[in-house]
Amino acid sequence: MTNSPESALARHIAGACATPLPEPVEARTRLHLLDTLAAILSGRDLPAGVFGYRFAETAQAPGPATLLGSQSRTSIEQAAFANAMAAHADETDDSHIWGRFHPGCGIVPAAIAMAEGRGADGSDLLRAIALGYDIGARSTMALGFSSPKTTVFSTHAFGTLFGAAAAAGALAGLNTQQAEALLSFTVQQTSGLSYWNRDPDHVEKSFDFGAKSARNGVFAALLAEAGMTAPDLPMTGQNGYLAAYAETPAPGKLTEALGERYEIARSTIKKWSVGSPLQTVLDAVGEVFGGQPTAVDKVAEIVVHLPSNRIHVVDDRHMPAVCAQHLVALATLRGHVSFAASHDHTLMQDPEVRAMRRKIRLVSDEELTHARPERQSIVHVRMADGEERRHHARVVRGTPDDPMTAKEVAAKAADILGPILADGGARLIALCLNEDFQMTDLVAACQRAPVASPTNLRSQA
């Protein structure tokens, strides 16, 4: 073993589960665990989650890991895959701005499946999840991409893979030599092209962002655990990871402040279960209208300014949770957008919503593209009586610059889990946020009410 970034990463992975997290970091990790579980349990009813669970249930014999929210058990790899398909079945899960990926949807399912399969306890799970965020974010930051538009490679697929592999490897109890081999198997499974943004149904996108990474990360850990050997320097050596994928290679970023700067504390939990570019938009609409319902005839025009490099993601999309015009109309009419409402396709044909949509115009704004923090928006409203209202939302609620409180994250989870779990999610929220738990308790708290279905979600809209 050399004195290299790979050896430093390997030592960190091997020792992660034996190293307590600082109290604020553990508290933050608990929030991301709860937020991702809410995404998994709600995502099960959406097309990507339905496919993932069906595939896992039919492709494998029973195994040691659970398809969360059900009684079905399968292999660790298949459970990681299916739960991750559900975790990014829509736009509920977390994100990491600097790493340009959605960490929770791949890392948390991989960690839960491995923890359950290996009989780990809750503290091990939390430490492995925090580790995954650390390794995953550094793996993409080291590539030195100057903007999302400068490469065909998808950091969304890369970061979750390295994070999932690290988390699974730590929970498998890999030693330092095995952990360095783990990095090699992970590098060889690195893949992902940015044409995921053409996916009209958010199904392959779930595979690209989370499921592929969760499955492959677990597989890399199992190979390392079994003693498979590997070449050295898979990340920084000749023809390695950085040589293949980086725009401006920055090998020092692979280990920069490792063990001191926890990337989970720099991750974002979404306030709204909608596309990331729309987080500030809904905040701005709330400010403009004071969170109060506003009728169609009271509004003359709503102009929404969005960054030019993000507007295509949310402009007039057919999925309600990523359609700017639809969500702005809904937020204006109702004063708030619940999880159920933002996922109700029938509301896209509602006459009142359609009438409000006709008064909404999106503007591509180059200045907002370069504004910092990222993903700012401006909402300008002209009321029917001639009054002008405007709000510039500069900071996204839930980002490190304006983090959500534990109470807010719990409220978001309760809104999502209310129609899904028999107790409205109370037990799962308490376990994740306040208790020392065992995996059996966590899995049991995810057990869904028999009546849960997309119809139930719509009834809560």
Side-chain angles (χ1 to χ4, degrees):
M1 184 168 293
T2 60
N3 184 21
S4 64
E6 286 88 344
S7 63
L9 289 171
R11 288 192 296 271
H12 194 74
I13 292 168
C17 284
T19 306
L21 296 171
E23 187 174 334
V25 177
E26 179 177 320
R28 182 72 185 180
T29 306
R30 287 175 174 271
L31 295 182
H32 285 268
L33 171 61
L34 173 61
D35 194 61
T36 306
L37 286 171
I40 292 170
L41 295 175
S42 59
R44 279 200 54 196
D45 287 325
L46 300 172
V50 170
F51 173 82
Y53 274 54
R54 183 176 70 242
F55 182 85
E57 287 173 336
T58 58
Q60 294 288 326
T66 302
L67 302 183
L68 295 174
S70 77
Q71 299 290 346
S72 298
R73 294 172 69 82
T74 184
S75 69
I76 296 173
E77 294 162 84
Q78 287 294 328
F81 167 84
N83 291 332
M85 285 293 290
H88 193 66
D90 73 327
E91 297 295 333
T92 299
D93 55 307
D94 63 13
S95 62
H96 190 285
I97 293 173
W98 295 276
R100 295 183 186 143
F101 76 130
H102 288 235
C105 67
I107 294 167
V108 174
I112 289 175
M114 184 62 85
E116 187 181 13
R118 289 293 183 267
D121 62 21
S123 63
D124 291 332
L125 175 68
L126 294 171
R127 293 168 187 176
I129 290 172
L131 167 72
Y133 281 61
D134 281 337
I135 304 303
R138 285 171 172 82
S139 74
T140 56
M141 291 188 291
L143 297 174
F145 291 153
S146 55
S147 84
K149 295 290 187 181
T150 59
T151 178
V152 296
F153 303 123
S154 179
T155 53
H156 295 85
F158 291 8
T160 45
L161 171 62
F162 281 95
L171 287 161
L174 301 185
N175 61 34
T176 304
Q177 183 176 1
Q178 290 170 321
E180 187 156 358
L182 165 78
L183 294 173
S184 181
F185 310 144
T186 304
V187 168
Q188 289 291 4
Q189 295 183 97
T190 303
S191 63
L193 301 178
S194 58
Y195 70 82
W196 55 259
N197 59 24
R198 300 203 313 268
D199 180 5
D201 301 313
H202 215 288
V203 175
E204 186 181 318
K205 184 171 180 279
S206 301
F207 174 73
D208 299 340
F209 276 44
K212 173 176 70 68
S213 296
R215 179 202 64 191
N216 290 356
V218 165
F219 187 55
L222 295 176
L223 291 176
E225 183 184 35
M228 184 172 172
T229 59
D232 64 358
L233 304 179
M235 303 189 78
T236 62
Q238 184 179 16
N239 299 328
Y241 172 69
L242 295 183
Y245 295 114
E247 177 184 337
T248 307
K253 289 188 179 295
L254 290 169
T255 57
E256 184 179 83
L258 191 61
E260 301 172 10
R261 186 185 74 226
Y262 292 86
E263 295 301 327
I264 202 159
R266 302 208 304 161
S267 298
T268 295
I269 293 178
K270 290 181 177 179
K271 176 181 177 181
W272 309 97
S273 297
V274 302
S276 293
L278 296 173
Q279 298 295 310
T280 55
V281 173
L282 292 185
D283 285 343
V285 172
E287 291 292 331
V288 165
F289 294 107
Q292 298 301 311
T294 304
V296 175
D297 61 2
K298 300 293 185 182
V299 176
E301 183 183 38
I302 301 175
V303 180
V304 180
H305 288 251
L306 284 162
S308 59
N309 65 342
R310 303 286 182 182
I311 193 170
H312 67 283
V313 178
V314 296
D315 186 10
D316 203 26
R317 301 296 293 273
H318 78 284
M319 289 181 62
V322 291
C323 180
Q325 293 88 338
H326 173 69
L327 290 170
V328 170
L330 204 58
T332 303
L333 289 167
R334 297 192 172 191
H336 181 75
V337 179
S338 68
F339 173 85
S342 67
H343 292 76
D344 188 345
H345 283 264
T346 64
L347 285 175
M348 297 192 81
Q349 304 306 320
D350 180 88
E352 189 179 29
V353 175
R354 300 286 301 178
M356 185 66 81
R357 278 188 67 165
R358 288 192 287 271
K359 300 187 177 188
I360 298 168
R361 179 165 57 92
L362 266 58
V363 174
S364 177
D365 193 318
E366 188 64 24
E367 287 188 12
L368 290 180
T369 300
H370 302 289
R372 294 294 180 269
E374 294 184 5
R375 296 179 178 173
Q376 298 183 29
S377 65
I378 300 171
V379 173
H380 187 178
V381 177
R382 181 166 53 87
M383 303 298 288
D385 62 5
E387 180 190 0
E388 301 277 346
R389 303 180 184 180
R390 180 183 184 275
H391 185 77
H392 183 171
R394 290 181 169 82
V395 180
V396 180
R397 184 64 174 165
T399 61
D401 294 313
D402 189 17
M404 292 171 67
T405 65
K407 185 176 180 179
E408 288 177 298
V409 176
K412 175 189 174 183
D415 173 55
I416 295 171
L417 299 173
I420 298 174
L421 299 182
D423 66 351
R427 181 62 182 142
L428 183 59
I429 292 170
L431 278 174
C432 288
L433 298 189
N434 302 315
E435 299 183 20
D436 294 331
F437 60 85
Q438 297 299 318
M439 291 305 300
T440 52
D441 298 323
L442 190 71
V443 170
C446 292
Q447 187 59 46
R448 291 158 39 122
V451 295
S453 71
T455 301
N456 294 115
L457 290 177
R458 286 196 293 271
S459 71
Q460 301 294 317

